[in-house]
Amino acid sequence: MIVAIDYDNTYAADPPTFNKIIEIFKQAGHTVICVTGRSAAMGQPVLDSIGRLVPVIFAGNDWKRDAATKRAYNVNVWIDDMPEMIGPSNLLR
């Protein structure tokens, strides 16, 4: 399973708890990534925190789902405070 965690107002709201969640998913053999709506130009705080634990994808102006798919991640579970930013499902297109 691939789990995507948003950064702003999600991971950043409670890093200690999300670090534990990330570790649990990893120990269970799952892939965890961070998909943020930030651009790479605004990404250093992301890289300095969650980026030390998991790969980070900067969606910028793209839908988060599209940005992840472009990098070969077919996300199964999204953890995001603004799910409308993930974008439409391929099943719905």
Side-chain angles (χ1 to χ4, degrees):
M1 181 167 56
I2 299 175
V3 179
I5 301 173
D6 173 51
Y7 182 76
D8 291 298
N9 298 317
T10 304
Y11 176 86
D14 191 353
T17 298
F18 276 102
N19 289 346
K20 292 174 187 174
I21 291 167
I22 289 167
E23 187 59 31
I24 289 168
F25 276 123
K26 286 177 153 184
Q27 287 178 353
H30 303 298
T31 299
V32 181
I33 61 174
C34 173
V35 183
T36 177
R38 290 183 182 216
S39 67
M42 296 177 60
Q44 198 57 53
V46 181
L47 295 173
D48 290 342
S49 57
I50 194 172
R52 295 179 187 266
L53 304 172
V54 301
V56 175
I57 296 171
F58 296 101
N61 292 326
D62 290 338
W63 291 110
K64 290 180 179 181
R65 183 184 314 278
D66 291 345
T69 301
K70 285 179 188 175
R71 289 160 186 85
Y73 291 104
N74 185 16
V75 176
N76 304 103
V77 176
W78 293 90
I79 302 173
D80 200 305
D81 69 309
M82 295 180 65
E84 63 272 17
M85 302 306 292
I86 295 166
S89 168
N90 289 337
L91 300 175
L92 301 176
R93 291 184 185 175

